[in-house]
RNA sequence: GGGGGUGUAGCUCAAUUUGGUUAGAGCACCGGCCUGUCACGCCGGUGGUUGCGGGUUCGAGUCCCGUCGCUCCCGCCA
């Protein structure tokens, strides 16, 4: 029985048509004589009626055997339902199919969990991921993901971009995230690395004269997971020749606005707002600010420079800062709420959360008021622009801790107070990132973005004297407080690239060993170039309104980087290890060796 | 590596507060009844290593120690 229609498409205008439907038994209601079957396929649900008056006895017997999720084919005639029996909950609710023949294509054992129950423990759903996809929002997300991928391809194709695949078996580089390694059988003791990004390949494609490249590329990073981080994830990787930063930003934001328009029917104005890294940190305490709401940070350091409050004074005397956010109308927040917020900031290293209340008469009360002079209180009111009824929450610490703590707290309060309208999509560019930062642990400078990022030309003179002041031609695109992409204009001058490696403390020998192919290529006619990589999973997650990128990935891994469905990773035969010249020192294999 | 949440029947939960009879309910499953249901209904039944290991106790799902899974966050993620 070949299917003629999907389960979501029949309407009363189809009454009288003979149809064949295929699908899964969504639900069976056996009334003794009459049997109703909700038949489901990926497009919808249609009610079948097995009526002894219209259906052969043998087929009725078959219908009595059916259980949830059996796979069947049914032939019958579409019939308009009598008025009182129309089901307005169902797109096909005005009709039903009177069954004349029924084939069981496959039986199904009882389901291990209720497929419609969204509260089922995640490990059980992951073990039977195909069942979760069958009925949950995941299938809808995967189809959305497909549409976004197609929009990306069509958009970039129209602009002359060429989609090119780059190797998955790649080479380990010393900078960046921990690599996934693949042992080589034919080169004992040597390893491939899975790419953290196709970074070097795409630069080499620019040297190759491709000019406009893109790839929907799988990337691998062996770091600990989060709701928005998987060990393998997908980037929309883009690189262009003969461009400057403005060109890359323009192509990127036009593509993102196009996607928002097509997927969400939302018109996002371009160009997106630009914020410098410094401004983002100062105003939002984050390099990926959620700009859907205010609650910006106010700097109280100047006003409290001479404060007699020892907590603030000590921080300011040792190079720290004191900043505040002032949520409106929360002056009556309970002690319990304040404690909960103090707990939130404690996770970022803040030792406390001081609070002030602006009373209805404009006076300043609250837990920290007694430590402050009248002048200081007046200055704080001026800087924060807090009004009667507002609350002022203050953190004093190193800038890093203050920004992290208040940056987090403003998001928590905005979410709890409903300050975020769910249908807003606020894109923002963060630009002028520092090129380098000092790594205390290794006692050297490391690249904030990556070692191929070009400094701003006017800052190059400071590369040796004050490296942390050099700004990069690097940019991140942020959507609703989630970093969805980043890129840079690359170094195309071999001398500058060598100087960067030197600045990063990578010796000439090591840079030749690790990046020799790139340095050589830069000497052989490399055009100026730059690009961007968009986090495809995160983008689709936000478009889908999902809370984790697991919800937009067909077969995701757990926070321990395991696949509960297939059981990967798993031990392998001693024979396989031997071929690969590998011996395990710990773990499940070690004992047998 | 660190902190939080969580784990009782195939699934979702109750019993844990204050240790005390045979660990209950709904759904699923099995058997029976039912011709207009759409979460169909009604009657009956099966089903438990309370994640795992150890300890305290006359007695542990409940208290203690360890450990494992899932999850959220910090570190980490050029």
């Amino acid at each position: 029985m070949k299917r003629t229609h999907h389960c979501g498409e029949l309407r009363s205008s189809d009454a009288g048509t003979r149809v064949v439907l295929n699908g899964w038994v969504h639900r069976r209601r056996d009334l003794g004589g009459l049997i109703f079957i909700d038949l489901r396929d990926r497009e919808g649900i249609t009610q079948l009626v097995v009526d002894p008056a219209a259906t052969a006895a043998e087929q009725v017997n078959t219908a009595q055997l059916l259980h949830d999720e059996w796979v069947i084919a049914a032939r019958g005639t579409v019939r308009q339902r009598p008025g009182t029996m129309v089901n307005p909950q169902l797109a096909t609710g005005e009709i039903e199919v009177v069954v004349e023949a029924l084939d069981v294509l496959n039986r199904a054992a009882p389901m291990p969990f209720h497929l419609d129950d969204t509260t089922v423990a995640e490990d059980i759903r992951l073990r039977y991921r195909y069942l979760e996809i069958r009925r949950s929002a995941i299938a809808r997300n995967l189809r959305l993901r497909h549409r976004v991928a197609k929009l990306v391809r069509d958009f970039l194709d129209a602009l002359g971009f060429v989609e090119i695949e780059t190797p998955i078996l790649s080479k380990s580089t010393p900078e960046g995230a921990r690599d996934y390694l693949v042992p080589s059988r034919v080169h004992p003791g040597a390893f491939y690395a899975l790419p953290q990004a196709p970074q070097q390949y795409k630069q080499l494609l620019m040297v190759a004269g491709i000019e406009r490249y893109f790839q929907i590329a799988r990337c691998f990073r062996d770091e600990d997971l989060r709701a928005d981080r998987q060990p393998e994830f997908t980037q929309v990787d883009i690189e262009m020749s003969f461009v400057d930063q403005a060109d890359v930003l323009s192509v990127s934001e036009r593509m993102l606005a196009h996607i928002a328009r097509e997927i969400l029917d939302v018109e996002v104005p371009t160009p997106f707002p630009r914020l410098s890294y410094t401004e983002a940190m100062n105003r939002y305490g984050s390099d990926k600010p959620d700009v859907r709401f205010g609650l910006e940070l106010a700097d109280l350091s100047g006003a409290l420079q001479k404060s007699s409050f020892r907590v603030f004074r000590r921080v300011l005397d040792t190079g720290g800062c004191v900043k505040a956010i002032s949520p409106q109308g929360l002056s009556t927040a309970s002690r319990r709420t304040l404690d909960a917020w103090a707990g939130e900031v404690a996770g970022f290293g803040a030792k406390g959360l001081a609070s002030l209340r602006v009373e209805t008469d404009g006076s300043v009360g609250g837990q920290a008021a007694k430590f402050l002079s009248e002048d200081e209180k007046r200055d704080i009111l001026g800087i924060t622009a807090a009004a009667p009824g507002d609350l002022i929450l203050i953190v004093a610490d190193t800038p890093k801790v203050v920004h992290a703590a208040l940056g987090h707290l403003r998001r928590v309060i905005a979410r709890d107070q409903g300050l975020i309208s769910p249908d807003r999509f606020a894109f923002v560019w963060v630009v002028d990132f520092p090129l380098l930062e000092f790594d205390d642990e290794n006692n050297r400078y490391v690249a904030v973005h990556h070692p191929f990022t070009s400094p701003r030309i006017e800052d190059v003179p400071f590369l040796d004297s004050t490296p942390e002041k050099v700004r990069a031609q690097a940019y991140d695109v942020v959507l609703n407080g989630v970093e969805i992409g980043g890129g840079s204009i690359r170094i195309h001058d071999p001398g500058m690239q060598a100087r960067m490696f030197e600045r990063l403390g990578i010796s000439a020998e090591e840079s030749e060993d690790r990046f020799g192919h790139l340095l050589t290529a830069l000497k052989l006619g490399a055009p100026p170039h730059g690009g961007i990589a968009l986090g495809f999973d995160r983008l689709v997650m936000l478009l889908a309104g999902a809370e984790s990128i697991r919800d937009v990935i067909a077969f995701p891994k757990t926070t321990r980087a395991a696949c509960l469905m297939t059981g990967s990773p798993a031990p392998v035969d001693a024979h396989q290890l031997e071929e690969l010249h590998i011996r395990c020192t710990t773990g499940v294999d070690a004992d047998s060796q």
Side-chain angles (χ1 to χ4, degrees):
Chain A
M1 280 198 274
K2 270 282 197 201
R3 115 161 112 186
T4 60
H5 294 75
H6 281 288
C7 292
E9 62 180 311
L10 294 171
R11 298 292 183 271
S12 50
S13 56
D14 297 301
T17 311
R18 281 186 92 213
V19 298
V20 175
L21 299 177
N22 288 181
W24 288 262
V25 174
H26 187 73
R27 212 161 265 130
R28 186 180 65 114
R29 293 177 293 279
D30 185 344
L31 272 56
L34 275 184
I35 301 171
F36 295 95
I37 298 159
D38 288 342
L39 187 66
R40 186 196 72 248
D41 64 18
R42 71 175 206 187
E43 304 299 340
I45 290 174
T46 296
Q47 176 169 279
L48 309 179
V49 193
V50 177
D51 183 346
T55 312
E58 191 186 334
Q59 313 286 349
V60 174
N61 290 341
T62 304
Q64 282 170 342
L65 297 173
L66 298 178
H67 285 274
D68 286 357
E69 300 304 313
W70 283 32
V71 187
I72 64 170
R75 186 174 59 234
T77 304
V78 181
R79 179 166 77 187
Q80 169 106 39
R81 296 199 204 177
T84 54
M85 294 156 200
V86 168
N87 183 351
Q89 314 262 287
L90 217 56
T92 60
E94 49 191 32
I95 58 95
E96 61 196 0
V97 172
V98 185
V99 172
E100 59 195 55
L102 205 57
D103 270 359
V104 174
L105 303 178
N106 208 346
R107 302 197 288 186
M111 293 297 113
F113 61 93
H114 296 162
L115 302 194
D116 291 331
D117 184 353
T118 54
T119 68
V120 173
E122 186 143 18
D123 49 343
I124 291 160
R125 284 183 279 141
L126 284 175
R127 187 174 318 141
Y128 302 96
R129 181 65 165 181
Y130 44 89
L131 294 181
E132 188 183 17
I133 294 172
R134 196 136 95 198
R135 275 208 206 170
S136 70
I138 309 292
R140 182 173 55 78
N141 293 347
L142 294 176
R143 292 175 79 169
L144 174 74
R145 184 181 174 118
H146 161 77
R147 285 176 57 212
V148 179
K150 184 164 176 355
L151 285 170
V152 165
R153 287 200 164 92
D154 291 346
F155 182 89
L156 293 174
D157 173 71
L159 293 180
F161 284 84
V162 182
E163 183 171 15
I164 298 174
E165 293 164 275
T166 54
I168 292 295
L169 294 177
S170 182
K171 187 180 176 182
S172 182
T173 54
E175 303 279 307
R178 196 176 293 112
D179 284 318
Y180 278 100
L181 297 177
V182 179
S184 167
R185 174 179 57 84
V186 293
H187 298 280
F191 295 81
Y192 301 97
L194 305 183
Q196 297 175 27
Q199 182 60 34
Q200 292 179 57
Y201 292 111
K202 70 173 174 177
Q203 289 191 242
L204 293 166
L205 286 170
M206 294 302 102
V207 181
I210 295 295
E211 296 199 19
R212 292 192 156 203
Y213 142 94
F214 85 100
Q215 180 179 192
I216 298 183
R218 194 64 63 84
C219 305
F220 305 86
R221 294 178 189 174
D222 185 5
E223 297 291 348
D224 288 341
L225 310 186
R226 292 282 193 287
D228 61 355
R229 275 162 37 183
Q230 282 275 301
E232 54 179 306
F233 61 100
T234 302
Q235 286 186 344
V236 178
D237 196 44
I238 295 174
E239 196 76 4
M240 309 159 70
S241 293
F242 309 113
V243 293
D244 57 23
Q245 174 167 318
D247 297 315
V248 179
L249 266 52
S250 171
V251 166
S252 306
E253 64 195 1
R254 275 153 52 209
M255 182 172 77
L256 289 166
H258 176 63
I259 291 167
R261 189 182 307 118
E262 294 293 321
I263 298 291
L264 303 166
D265 203 22
V266 165
E267 205 55 48
V268 180
T270 54
F272 299 164
R274 268 82 163 154
L275 275 178
S276 75
Y277 170 83
T278 308
E279 193 181 0
M281 293 306 290
N282 285 338
R283 288 173 57 190
Y284 300 101
S286 170
D287 62 357
K288 44 180 171 130
D290 190 337
V291 297
R292 287 176 296 178
F293 57 94
L295 270 185
E296 295 188 20
L297 277 56
D299 191 349
L300 309 181
S301 306
L304 296 168
Q305 208 67 47
K306 299 193 170 66
S307 179
S308 56
F309 185 19
R310 291 222 306 262
V311 174
F312 291 168
R313 189 60 184 279
R314 189 180 306 129
V315 163
L316 290 168
D317 287 349
T318 55
C321 66
V322 182
K323 294 196 178 187
I325 56 175
S326 45
Q328 288 180 3
L330 289 183
S331 64
T332 53
S334 66
R335 175 65 191 268
R336 195 171 153 184
T337 302
L338 292 172
D339 285 348
W341 288 338
E344 291 282 351
V345 299
F348 294 83
K351 289 164 208 71
L353 181 67
S355 62
L356 295 172
R357 289 194 307 264
V358 188
E359 311 290 3
T360 44
D361 62 0
S363 67
V364 175
Q367 154 256 27
K370 60 178 175 288
F371 303 110
L372 299 171
S373 71
E374 288 309 311
D375 282 354
E376 286 163 351
K377 287 190 246 182
R378 194 193 57 235
D379 287 349
I380 288 171
L381 284 183
I383 294 166
T384 59
D390 293 354
L391 181 68
I392 300 173
L393 298 166
I394 306 167
V395 175
D397 213 300
T398 61
K400 194 177 170 182
V401 169
V402 169
H403 290 149
L406 288 178
H408 172 73
L409 189 58
R410 70 179 278 277
R411 296 200 69 178
V412 169
I413 292 175
R415 193 192 58 213
D416 292 352
Q417 298 298 313
L419 303 181
I420 305 170
S421 48
D423 51 351
R424 275 206 65 191
F425 284 82
F427 289 93
V428 60
W429 287 107
V430 178
V431 299
D432 293 341
F433 276 83
L435 183 72
L436 301 162
E437 67 185 340
F438 194 74
D439 177 9
D440 295 319
E441 210 167 297
N442 295 301
N443 202 36
R444 67 177 184 101
Y445 283 95
V446 295
V448 169
H449 188 53
H450 58 54
F452 317 112
T453 298
S454 177
R456 279 176 60 148
I457 304 303
E458 64 268 36
D459 291 352
V460 169
F462 308 112
L463 208 46
D464 293 314
S465 53
T466 49
E468 61 277 0
K469 288 204 173 136
V470 176
R471 289 166 297 174
Q473 296 190 57
Y475 32 83
D476 278 358
V477 57
V478 176
L479 170 55
N480 295 351
V482 178
E483 181 197 324
I484 58 164
S488 63
I489 298 299
R490 326 299 181 190
I491 297 169
H492 65 276
D493 176 73
M496 175 61 75
Q497 186 64 70
R499 196 171 163 197
M500 263 301 283
F501 285 142
E502 190 187 341
R503 179 69 267 183
L504 294 170
I506 302 172
S507 70
E509 295 75 39
E510 190 178 2
S511 65
E512 186 56 37
D513 181 43
R514 299 290 191 172
F515 304 109
H517 50 285
L518 184 68
L519 288 166
T520 301
L522 293 180
K523 290 173 187 161
L524 295 171
H529 61 285
I532 192 168
L534 300 172
F536 188 65
D537 313 277
R538 287 182 185 174
L539 176 62
V540 175
M541 169 184 85
L542 293 170
L543 294 169
E547 301 209 326
S548 166
I549 63 170
R550 289 191 298 273
D551 294 342
V552 300
I553 294 173
F555 300 107
K557 294 193 168 47
T558 69
T559 52
R560 290 252 303 146
C563 173
L564 298 179
M565 190 179 66
T566 61
S568 73
V572 294
D573 290 345
H575 173 67
Q576 282 178 285
L577 290 176
E578 197 179 321
E579 271 192 331
L580 294 168
H581 326 283
I582 300 270
R583 184 178 301 132
C584 294
T585 56
T586 55
V588 279
D589 293 326
D591 299 339
S592 60
Q593 298 201 14

